[in-house]
Amino acid sequence: MHRLRRPSAPSTLCAATGVFGLVNNLTREGRLLDEQEIFRRRNNRWYDAAYTDPSTVDPHVYDEEINPGAAAWFKPSATHLLARVSGYLEILSAHGVDCRALRSADPGRVVYEDDVQIVVVPHARDATGS
């Protein structure tokens, strides 16, 4: 599985923020240049159309009490989704935000799965012990 996230952060919530969330945070802070914002909007729309938002299938999938630290990972076969991530990484790099790709055969307890992604509760945060 593939996930792109910030390698370290001051809080648990920030530590789990993926590449899309990090770029969206820059937007909320008003830090993106016009061309970066155009890229973000265009590609966010493309991603919205290209795969299912897990929270539309299960509104509780990211509920912190039910699934603490839940995070989405693209499956290795989702090459069409992974291919567009480089533009987001360029934006993060331009703003000095460190980000790295994570790969894991077992990132956690799966709480959602479809053909291109899984959402997992990381093993360290999984209170079920499974």
Side-chain angles (χ1 to χ4, degrees), residues 70-128:
W73 292 65
F74 286 134
K75 292 181 176 181
S77 59
T79 55
H80 64 295
L81 299 174
L82 292 164
R84 287 184 170 236
V85 171
S86 61
Y88 289 87
L89 296 175
E90 289 172 15
I91 291 171
L92 293 173
S93 177
H95 291 275
V97 178
D98 292 330
C99 190
R100 66 180 169 132
L102 300 177
R103 291 172 181 80
S104 175
D106 184 18
R109 176 176 53 90
V110 176
V111 295
Y112 172 86
E113 182 170 9
D114 63 32
D115 59 329
V116 296
Q117 66 185 321
I118 60 172
V119 176
V120 302
V121 173
H123 291 301
R125 304 210 38 199
D126 188 358
T128 67

Side-chain angles (χ1 to χ4, degrees), residues 11-67:
S11 75
T12 303
L13 288 176
C14 290
T17 303
V19 65
F20 304 121
L22 291 170
V23 171
N24 289 339
N25 287 342
L26 291 174
T27 294
R28 281 190 285 282
E29 295 167 4
R31 295 176 54 193
L32 293 188
L33 302 174
D34 289 345
E35 61 269 13
Q36 293 170 330
E37 179 59 17
I38 290 167
F39 170 89
R40 185 195 70 84
R41 286 183 186 184
R42 182 178 61 243
N43 283 280
N44 280 5
R45 280 192 304 270
W46 183 88
Y47 275 106
D48 287 346
Y51 72 100
T52 302
D53 174 348
S55 65
T56 64
V57 176
D58 177 359
H60 304 291
V61 73
Y62 293 114
D63 183 304
E64 195 61 27
E65 289 185 28
I66 298 170
N67 296 313

